[in-house]
Protein backbone atom coordinates (compact mmCIF):
# COMPACT_ATOMS: atom_id res chain seq x y z
CA UNK A 1 0.00 0.00 0.00
CA UNK A 2 1.25 3.46 -0.92
CA UNK A 3 1.64 6.56 1.23
CA UNK A 4 0.09 9.73 -0.19
CA UNK A 5 2.63 12.01 -1.86
CA UNK A 6 2.24 15.66 -0.87
CA UNK A 7 1.99 18.26 -3.64
CA UNK A 8 2.21 15.72 -6.44
CA UNK A 9 -0.31 15.30 -9.21
CA UNK A 10 -1.45 12.05 -10.76
CA UNK A 11 -2.69 11.70 -14.31
CA UNK A 12 -5.75 9.76 -13.20
CA UNK A 13 -7.39 9.06 -9.85
CA UNK A 14 -9.68 6.02 -9.68
CA UNK A 15 -12.26 5.39 -6.97
CA UNK A 16 -12.84 1.67 -6.45
CA UNK A 17 -10.54 -1.32 -6.95
CA UNK A 18 -13.12 -3.90 -8.00
CA UNK A 19 -12.52 -5.65 -11.34
CA UNK A 20 -13.40 -2.54 -13.37
CA UNK A 21 -11.12 -0.19 -11.40
CA UNK A 22 -8.30 -2.73 -11.29
CA UNK A 23 -8.44 -3.41 -15.04
CA UNK A 24 -8.60 0.30 -15.84
CA UNK A 25 -5.71 1.09 -13.49
CA UNK A 26 -3.62 -1.64 -15.14
CA UNK A 27 -4.39 -0.31 -18.64
CA UNK A 28 -3.43 3.25 -17.66
CA UNK A 29 -0.29 2.22 -15.77
CA UNK A 30 0.78 0.04 -18.68
CA UNK A 31 0.44 3.12 -20.92
CA UNK A 32 2.88 4.93 -18.62
CA UNK A 33 0.35 7.15 -16.82
CA UNK A 34 0.64 7.94 -13.13
CA UNK A 35 -2.40 6.45 -11.41
CA UNK A 36 -3.82 6.64 -7.88
CA UNK A 37 -6.54 4.24 -6.74
CA UNK A 38 -8.53 4.47 -3.51
CA UNK A 39 -10.44 1.41 -2.33
CA UNK A 40 -12.73 1.46 0.72
CA UNK A 41 -12.08 -2.17 1.71
CA UNK A 42 -8.66 -3.71 2.25
CA UNK A 43 -9.57 -7.29 1.30
CA UNK A 44 -10.95 -8.65 -1.94
CA UNK A 45 -14.69 -9.42 -1.73
CA UNK A 46 -14.78 -13.18 -1.29
CA UNK A 47 -18.48 -13.99 -1.83
CA UNK A 48 -19.66 -15.65 -5.06
CA UNK A 49 -20.06 -13.19 -7.90
CA UNK A 50 -19.07 -13.43 -11.57
CA UNK A 51 -18.41 -16.96 -12.84
CA UNK A 52 -18.63 -16.47 -16.63
CA UNK A 53 -16.55 -14.30 -18.95
CA UNK A 54 -16.45 -13.90 -22.70
CA UNK A 55 -13.58 -13.74 -25.18
CA UNK A 56 -13.63 -9.92 -25.41
CA UNK A 57 -12.97 -9.65 -21.68
CA UNK A 58 -10.22 -12.25 -22.05
CA UNK A 59 -8.56 -10.15 -24.78
CA UNK A 60 -8.51 -7.15 -22.43
CA UNK A 61 -6.98 -9.26 -19.66
CA UNK A 62 -4.43 -10.60 -22.14
CA UNK A 63 -3.58 -7.02 -23.18
CA UNK A 64 -2.63 -6.13 -19.61
CA UNK A 65 -0.37 -9.16 -19.30
CA UNK A 66 -2.68 -11.71 -17.70
CA UNK A 67 -2.99 -14.06 -20.68
CA UNK A 68 -0.92 -16.83 -19.08
CA UNK A 69 -2.76 -16.44 -15.78
CA UNK A 70 -6.17 -16.64 -17.44
CA UNK A 71 -5.20 -19.68 -19.49
CA UNK A 72 -4.82 -21.72 -16.32
CA UNK A 73 -7.63 -19.96 -14.42
CA UNK A 74 -10.52 -20.67 -16.80
CA UNK A 75 -12.54 -23.64 -18.02
CA UNK A 76 -14.74 -23.78 -21.11
CA UNK A 77 -18.41 -22.97 -20.66
CA UNK A 78 -19.92 -25.92 -22.48
CA UNK A 79 -23.40 -24.51 -23.00
CA UNK A 80 -26.68 -24.72 -21.12
CA UNK A 81 -29.65 -27.04 -21.04
CA UNK A 82 -32.94 -25.47 -19.98
CA UNK A 83 -35.13 -27.98 -18.18
CA UNK A 84 -38.91 -27.57 -18.13
CA UNK A 85 -41.29 -28.30 -15.34
CA UNK A 86 -41.22 -32.07 -15.95
CA UNK A 87 -37.44 -32.18 -16.35
CA UNK A 88 -37.57 -32.28 -20.15
CA UNK A 89 -35.10 -30.17 -22.18
CA UNK A 90 -36.95 -27.13 -23.55
CA UNK A 91 -33.97 -25.17 -24.90
CA UNK A 92 -30.31 -25.79 -25.62
CA UNK A 93 -27.55 -23.22 -25.91
CA UNK A 94 -24.49 -24.84 -27.45
CA UNK A 95 -21.05 -23.25 -27.31
CA UNK A 96 -19.60 -21.73 -30.48
CA UNK A 97 -17.43 -24.25 -32.34
CA UNK A 98 -13.84 -23.43 -33.39
CA UNK A 99 -12.23 -21.55 -35.09
CA UNK A 100 -12.61 -18.93 -32.36
CA UNK A 101 -12.70 -15.38 -33.80
CA UNK A 102 -10.72 -13.78 -30.96
CA UNK A 103 -8.38 -16.68 -30.30
CA UNK A 104 -9.94 -17.48 -26.93
CA UNK A 105 -12.81 -19.84 -26.16
CA UNK A 106 -15.83 -17.50 -26.55
CA UNK A 107 -17.40 -18.31 -23.16
CA UNK A 108 -15.52 -19.50 -20.10
CA UNK A 109 -15.93 -19.88 -16.37
CA UNK A 110 -13.58 -18.32 -13.84
CA UNK A 111 -13.36 -17.33 -10.16
CA UNK A 112 -13.80 -13.57 -9.61
CA UNK A 113 -11.73 -13.24 -6.39
CA UNK A 114 -8.80 -15.11 -8.01
CA UNK A 115 -8.88 -12.74 -10.97
CA UNK A 116 -9.10 -9.70 -8.69
CA UNK A 117 -6.00 -10.91 -6.81
CA UNK A 118 -4.11 -11.35 -10.09
CA UNK A 119 -5.14 -7.82 -11.15
CA UNK A 120 -3.86 -6.38 -7.87
CA UNK A 121 -0.60 -8.34 -8.13
CA UNK A 122 -0.08 -7.06 -11.68
CA UNK A 123 -0.78 -3.47 -10.64
CA UNK A 124 1.86 -3.78 -7.92
CA UNK A 125 4.47 -4.18 -10.71
CA UNK A 126 4.06 -0.50 -11.63
CA UNK A 127 5.94 1.96 -9.40
CA UNK A 128 3.82 4.80 -10.82
CA UNK A 129 0.54 3.18 -9.67
CA UNK A 130 -0.33 4.17 -6.09
CA UNK A 131 -2.96 2.03 -4.40
CA UNK A 132 -4.59 3.18 -1.17
CA UNK A 133 -6.54 0.36 0.46
CA UNK A 134 -9.00 0.85 3.33
CA UNK A 135 -9.39 4.43 2.09
CA UNK A 136 -12.88 5.69 1.42
CA UNK A 137 -13.42 8.38 -1.22
CA UNK A 138 -15.55 10.98 0.58
CA UNK A 139 -15.39 14.25 -1.41
CA UNK A 140 -14.52 15.63 -4.85
CA UNK A 141 -13.54 19.14 -5.85
CA UNK A 142 -12.84 20.35 -9.37
CA UNK A 143 -10.87 23.49 -10.26
CA UNK A 144 -9.53 24.76 -13.57
CA UNK A 145 -6.57 22.37 -13.68
CA UNK A 146 -7.32 19.33 -11.61
CA UNK A 147 -9.66 17.38 -9.44
CA UNK A 148 -9.00 16.87 -5.75
CA UNK A 149 -10.25 13.65 -4.20
CA UNK A 150 -10.48 13.50 -0.44
CA UNK A 151 -10.15 10.04 1.03
CA UNK A 152 -10.61 8.89 4.61
CA UNK A 153 -8.78 6.07 6.32
CA UNK A 154 -10.48 3.78 8.85
CA UNK A 155 -8.84 5.83 11.63
CA UNK A 156 -10.73 8.91 10.37
CA UNK A 157 -7.55 10.54 9.05
CA UNK A 158 -8.10 12.28 5.70
CA UNK A 159 -5.73 12.80 2.79
CA UNK A 160 -6.01 14.32 -0.68
CA UNK A 161 -5.13 13.11 -4.14
CA UNK A 162 -4.78 15.59 -6.99
CA UNK A 163 -5.25 14.33 -10.54
CA UNK A 164 -5.97 15.61 -14.03
CA UNK A 165 -8.85 13.17 -14.35
CA UNK A 166 -10.96 11.14 -11.93
CA UNK A 167 -12.84 7.98 -12.83
CA UNK A 168 -15.57 6.42 -10.70
CA UNK A 169 -15.25 2.64 -10.67
CA UNK A 170 -17.01 2.42 -7.34
CA UNK A 171 -19.78 0.01 -8.18
CA UNK A 172 -23.54 0.12 -8.09
CA UNK A 173 -23.85 2.65 -5.24
CA UNK A 174 -21.16 4.90 -6.70
CA UNK A 175 -20.21 7.87 -4.56
CA UNK A 176 -18.68 9.52 -7.66
CA UNK A 177 -21.95 9.21 -9.57
CA UNK A 178 -23.89 10.76 -6.69
CA UNK A 179 -21.36 13.59 -6.19
CA UNK A 180 -21.54 14.49 -9.87
CA UNK A 181 -25.33 14.30 -9.92
CA UNK A 182 -25.32 11.66 -12.64
CA UNK A 183 -28.68 9.90 -12.91
CA UNK A 184 -29.29 6.18 -12.75
CA UNK A 185 -32.02 4.27 -14.56
CA UNK A 186 -33.19 1.51 -12.25
CA UNK A 187 -34.98 -1.14 -14.28
CA UNK A 188 -36.47 -2.37 -10.99
CA UNK A 189 -35.82 -6.06 -11.61
CA UNK A 190 -35.12 -7.06 -8.04
CA UNK A 191 -35.19 -10.69 -7.00
CA UNK A 192 -33.54 -12.56 -4.14
CA UNK A 193 -31.41 -15.53 -5.15
CA UNK A 194 -29.22 -17.72 -2.99
CA UNK A 195 -25.86 -18.27 -4.71
CA UNK A 196 -23.88 -21.23 -3.39
CA UNK A 197 -20.32 -21.99 -4.45
CA UNK A 198 -18.97 -25.39 -3.43
CA UNK A 199 -15.56 -26.97 -3.82
CA UNK A 200 -15.80 -30.67 -4.50
CA UNK A 201 -13.21 -33.09 -3.22
CA UNK A 202 -10.66 -34.19 -5.79
CA UNK A 203 -10.85 -35.92 -8.14
CA UNK A 204 -14.33 -34.85 -9.23
CA UNK A 205 -15.80 -35.39 -12.66
CA UNK A 206 -16.72 -32.10 -14.26
CA UNK A 207 -20.32 -32.14 -15.53
CA UNK A 208 -20.31 -31.03 -19.15
CA UNK A 209 -23.15 -28.54 -19.11
CA UNK A 210 -24.84 -25.81 -17.15
CA UNK A 211 -28.48 -26.35 -16.30
CA UNK A 212 -31.27 -23.83 -15.95
CA UNK A 213 -34.11 -25.32 -13.93
CA UNK A 214 -37.21 -23.51 -15.24
CA UNK A 215 -39.37 -24.79 -12.43
CA UNK A 216 -42.03 -22.36 -11.17
CA UNK A 217 -41.85 -24.09 -7.79
CA UNK A 218 -38.12 -23.22 -7.41
CA UNK A 219 -36.20 -21.79 -10.40
CA UNK A 220 -32.49 -22.51 -10.23
CA UNK A 221 -29.19 -22.66 -12.06
CA UNK A 222 -26.23 -25.02 -11.95
CA UNK A 223 -22.87 -23.96 -13.38
CA UNK A 224 -19.72 -26.08 -13.29
CA UNK A 225 -16.83 -23.69 -12.67
CA UNK A 226 -13.12 -24.20 -13.22
CA UNK A 227 -11.34 -27.04 -11.42
CA UNK A 228 -13.48 -28.27 -8.53
CA UNK A 229 -15.87 -25.29 -8.27
CA UNK A 230 -19.57 -26.04 -8.65
CA UNK A 231 -22.19 -23.26 -8.39
CA UNK A 232 -25.89 -23.44 -7.59
CA UNK A 233 -28.15 -20.40 -7.84
CA UNK A 234 -31.50 -20.88 -6.12
CA UNK A 235 -34.38 -18.40 -6.40
CA UNK A 236 -35.99 -17.42 -3.13
CA UNK A 237 -39.76 -17.43 -3.42
CA UNK A 238 -42.08 -14.61 -2.31
CA UNK A 239 -42.28 -14.60 1.46
CA UNK A 240 -38.96 -16.39 2.00
CA UNK A 241 -36.57 -14.50 4.23
CA UNK A 242 -33.13 -13.97 2.62
CA UNK A 243 -31.39 -13.76 6.01
CA UNK A 244 -32.93 -17.02 7.16
CA UNK A 245 -32.06 -18.59 3.80
CA UNK A 246 -28.41 -17.64 4.30
CA UNK A 247 -28.20 -19.86 7.40
CA UNK A 248 -26.76 -23.28 6.50
CA UNK A 249 -29.39 -25.00 8.68
CA UNK A 250 -32.16 -23.70 6.36
CA UNK A 251 -31.23 -26.22 3.70
C1 LIG B 1 -24.26 -13.40 -7.73
C2 LIG B 1 -23.57 -12.61 -8.81
C3 LIG B 1 -23.22 -13.25 -10.00
C4 LIG B 1 -22.59 -12.54 -11.01
N1 LIG B 1 -22.23 -13.21 -12.15
C5 LIG B 1 -21.59 -12.54 -13.14
C6 LIG B 1 -21.10 -13.24 -14.28
O1 LIG B 1 -21.23 -14.46 -14.39
N2 LIG B 1 -20.43 -12.53 -15.22
C7 LIG B 1 -20.23 -11.17 -15.09
O2 LIG B 1 -19.60 -10.58 -15.99
N3 LIG B 1 -20.65 -10.49 -14.00
C8 LIG B 1 -21.31 -11.15 -13.03
N4 LIG B 1 -21.71 -10.48 -11.91
C9 LIG B 1 -21.44 -9.04 -11.83
C10 LIG B 1 -19.99 -8.74 -11.44
O3 LIG B 1 -19.62 -9.46 -10.28
C11 LIG B 1 -19.94 -7.24 -11.21
O4 LIG B 1 -20.43 -6.61 -12.37
C12 LIG B 1 -18.55 -6.72 -10.96
O5 LIG B 1 -18.06 -7.10 -9.69
C13 LIG B 1 -18.61 -5.20 -11.01
O6 LIG B 1 -17.30 -4.74 -10.88
P1 LIG B 1 -17.03 -3.25 -10.50
O7 LIG B 1 -15.54 -3.11 -10.39
O8 LIG B 1 -17.79 -2.34 -11.42
O9 LIG B 1 -17.77 -3.05 -9.09
P2 LIG B 1 -17.47 -3.74 -7.68
O10 LIG B 1 -16.98 -5.14 -7.84
O11 LIG B 1 -18.69 -3.49 -6.88
O12 LIG B 1 -16.27 -2.86 -7.12
C14 LIG B 1 -16.46 -1.53 -6.71
C15 LIG B 1 -15.43 -1.25 -5.64
O13 LIG B 1 -15.52 0.12 -5.27
C16 LIG B 1 -15.31 0.22 -3.88
N5 LIG B 1 -15.93 1.46 -3.43
C17 LIG B 1 -17.23 1.79 -3.42
N6 LIG B 1 -17.40 3.04 -2.97
C18 LIG B 1 -16.17 3.51 -2.67
C19 LIG B 1 -15.69 4.73 -2.15
N7 LIG B 1 -16.50 5.78 -1.85
N8 LIG B 1 -14.35 4.89 -1.97
C20 LIG B 1 -13.50 3.87 -2.25
N9 LIG B 1 -13.90 2.69 -2.76
C21 LIG B 1 -15.23 2.52 -2.95
C22 LIG B 1 -16.00 -1.03 -3.31
O14 LIG B 1 -15.48 -1.37 -2.02
C23 LIG B 1 -15.64 -2.06 -4.37
O15 LIG B 1 -14.46 -2.77 -4.07
C24 LIG B 1 -22.33 -11.16 -10.86
C25 LIG B 1 -22.66 -10.50 -9.67
C26 LIG B 1 -23.28 -11.22 -8.65
C27 LIG B 1 -23.63 -10.51 -7.36
Amino acid sequence: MSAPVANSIHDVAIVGLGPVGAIFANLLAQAGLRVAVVERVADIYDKPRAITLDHEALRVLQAIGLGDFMEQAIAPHNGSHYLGVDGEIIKIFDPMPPPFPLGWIPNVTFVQPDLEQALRDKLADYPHADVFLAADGVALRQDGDAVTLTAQRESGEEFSIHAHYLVGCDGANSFVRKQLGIGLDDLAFDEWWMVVDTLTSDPARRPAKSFQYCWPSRPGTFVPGPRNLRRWEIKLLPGEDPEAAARPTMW
Side-chain angles (χ1 to χ4, degrees), residues 15-16 18-20 39-40 49-52 112 135-137 169-171 175:
V15 182
V20 173
E39 165 54 54
R40 173 183 287 160
R49 291 203 290 173
I51 191 168
T52 58
Q112 180 167 341
D136 201 0
C169 299
D170 46 345
F175 131 85

Side-chain angles (χ1 to χ4, degrees), residues 99-230:
F100 301 137
L102 296 186
W104 289 89
I105 299 169
N107 284 293
V108 300
T109 59
F110 78 114
V111 179
Q112 180 167 341
D114 293 355
L115 171 58
E116 289 194 47
Q117 187 61 58
L119 286 164
R120 289 188 182 195
D121 293 346
K122 189 76 194 159
L123 196 55
D125 290 346
Y126 298 104
H128 51 288
D130 297 319
V131 176
F132 305 101
L133 297 177
D136 201 0
V138 291
L140 302 177
R141 186 167 43 80
Q142 165 99 48
D143 63 27
D145 298 322
V147 57
T148 300
L149 166 68
T150 305
Q152 189 174 58
R153 298 189 192 283
E154 281 169 351
S155 62
E157 178 207 348
E158 292 192 347
F159 63 95
S160 296
I161 291 168
H162 307 284
H164 295 299
Y165 295 91
L166 181 137
V167 184
C169 299
D170 46 345
N173 294 311
S174 172
F175 131 85
V176 174
R177 174 173 55 77
K178 288 173 189 158
Q179 288 259 319
L180 297 181
I182 298 171
L184 174 74
D185 282 339
D186 184 348
L187 300 180
F189 182 74
D190 295 323
E191 289 185 352
W192 284 100
W193 285 67
M194 167 74 76
V195 182
V196 183
D197 275 0
T198 62
L199 296 175
T200 62
S201 52
D202 273 334
R205 279 187 59 215
R206 187 171 189 275
K209 303 278 179 194
S210 291
F211 291 96
Q212 301 287 349
Y213 300 94
C214 307
W215 300 342
S217 59
R218 177 75 72 188
T221 300
F222 168 76
V223 187
R227 300 180 297 279
N228 57 342
L229 175 67
R230 307 284 178 266

